[in-house]
Amino acid sequence: MFEDLEKINERPEPFQYYTASDLWTDEHTSKQMLSFHLNEAIDVSSRNAEFINRSVEWIASEFNIGRDFKIADFGCGPGLYAAPLAKRGANVTGIDFSGRSIECAKEIATREKLNISYVKQNYLEFETEDRFDLVLMIMCDFCALSSTQRKKILGKFHRILKPGGSVLLDVYSLAAFEQREEVATYEVNQLNGFWSPNKYYGFLNTFKYDEEKVVLDKYTIFESDRARQVYNWLQHFAPEDLERKFIAAGFSVKGQYSDVAGTPYV
């Protein structure tokens, strides 16, 4: 038991483990995540419906989206951005490794006769001969990637964009980092049964890495027949640091905003 407790409370090196697929492709948790996506009133897997509508309007105006405008939506989920942008005439490709979300997105696209191609794949491995006017990565997916993965994804964005194309993504700020605190909690059926349909014991350890500006939510889940750990990493950025990374990848930075609805950055 002591060794188990030591492992539960062990602080790993930043981005030492990558378990994103455990959250998004597991039969039970992917169902929970999709329900969060589709709940229009909350900001969990995606933003609330009011914000998404406002964001789509700003994106459509800012990037002059119309017929034959090509968009790649990385981490598209059930198509909450892909669908309304396709309704404005865009040709959208959505990439996500949650099969449950992709199937939901495909059903909506078929029902509404939308010009969207959905790809069930880890977007880090996505390759295509298509070239796009706009790449989206919304809901701070960029923050969940290690420095190596971020470099890889920026290189991919650069390759698949048309000349003059744009990238729009959002990240967590240093102000958000300062608001987080280190905690250790334990609960039976933690998060109201989120991790399993069966009884389990859940531990959450939140670690802050001050030098790297990284926060880790480390979940340890014990069921009767298995134990597992899920690592939710979140890199936080200063604006100038983020700009340096994009410039190093061959981009120029047009603007920085407080959100993906065009709110001025202050």
Side-chain angles (χ1 to χ4, degrees):
M1 175 64 74
F2 184 81
E3 291 181 356
D4 286 338
L5 291 173
E6 286 282 281
K7 184 177 180 181
I8 289 168
N9 291 283
E10 182 180 37
R11 177 191 294 261
E13 293 298 313
F15 294 97
Q16 183 177 351
Y17 303 105
Y18 180 67
T19 60
S21 62
D22 294 350
L23 180 63
W24 292 98
T25 64
D26 176 84
E27 179 69 19
H28 179 76
T29 57
S30 65
K31 182 178 180 180
Q32 309 305 306
M33 296 300 284
L34 179 59
S35 70
F36 291 151
H37 268 308
L38 299 178
N39 187 332
E40 297 184 350
I42 61 174
D43 294 314
V44 180
S45 298
S46 53
R47 308 295 184 199
N48 63 77
E50 185 278 329
F51 178 85
I52 291 174
N53 291 336
R54 185 158 48 88
S55 178
V56 167
E57 290 296 333
W58 178 77
I59 292 170
S61 174
E62 178 71 11
F63 297 98
N64 195 27
I65 291 173
R67 189 163 301 281
D68 298 326
F69 190 93
K70 298 190 69 171
I71 300 173
D73 185 1
F74 281 66
C76 63
L80 300 181
Y81 276 85
L85 290 170
K87 289 178 182 178
R88 286 160 172 76
N91 182 338
V92 184
T93 297
I95 310 101
D96 201 296
F97 61 10
S98 171
R100 194 180 293 273
S101 289
I102 287 291
E103 287 307 311
C104 177
K106 285 181 176 180
E107 290 175 7
I108 294 170
T110 298
R111 183 172 66 246
E112 301 187 8
K113 297 181 173 59
L114 300 175
N115 188 16
I116 307 175
S117 173
Y118 284 113
V119 181
K120 178 184 175 294
Q121 189 177 22
N122 185 330
Y123 52 53
L124 291 169
E125 308 305 325
F126 174 70
E127 298 294 343
T128 180
E129 297 299 318
D130 285 340
R131 295 296 177 261
F132 300 91
D133 299 287
L134 176 64
V135 167
L136 300 177
M137 179 178 270
I138 292 178
M139 201 59 185
C140 299
D141 270 34
F142 194 69
C143 301
L145 304 177
S146 69
S147 58
T148 300
Q149 291 170 327
R150 291 194 299 270
K151 184 176 181 180
K152 179 178 180 179
I153 205 74
L154 288 179
K156 190 182 302 291
F157 290 169
H158 199 273
R159 287 194 304 276
I160 69 174
L161 279 172
K162 295 179 182 178
S166 301
V167 175
L168 177 66
L169 54 74
D170 51 0
V171 299
Y172 286 105
S173 67
L174 295 188
F177 178 82
E178 296 302 326
Q179 292 173 5
R180 296 296 305 272
E181 296 182 357
E182 291 199 340
V183 297
T185 62
Y186 155 77
E187 187 178 358
V188 178
N189 293 341
Q190 186 184 60
L191 300 177
N192 298 314
F194 175 84
W195 294 108
S196 174
N198 306 312
K199 183 178 180 180
Y200 62 89
Y201 297 90
F203 297 80
L204 167 62
N205 293 79
T206 297
F207 298 109
K208 290 182 69 175
Y209 301 79
D210 289 320
E211 182 176 350
E212 296 86 356
K213 304 304 179 188
V214 170
V215 174
L216 167 63
D217 290 319
K218 174 185 174 184
Y219 295 93
T220 307
I221 305 101
F222 288 95
E223 299 178 69
S224 62
D225 59 347
R226 65 169 176 165
R228 56 197 165 117
Q229 291 185 312
V230 177
Y231 298 81
N232 184 28
W233 301 98
L234 291 175
Q235 178 74 57
H236 296 65
F237 293 94
E240 58 274 15
D241 183 40
L242 190 62
E243 183 169 350
R244 280 196 297 269
K245 293 183 186 304
F246 269 81
I247 291 174
F251 293 94
S252 60
V253 177
K254 178 182 178 182
Q256 295 186 355
Y257 304 90
S258 290
D259 55 36
V260 290
T263 304
Y265 180 79
V266 293

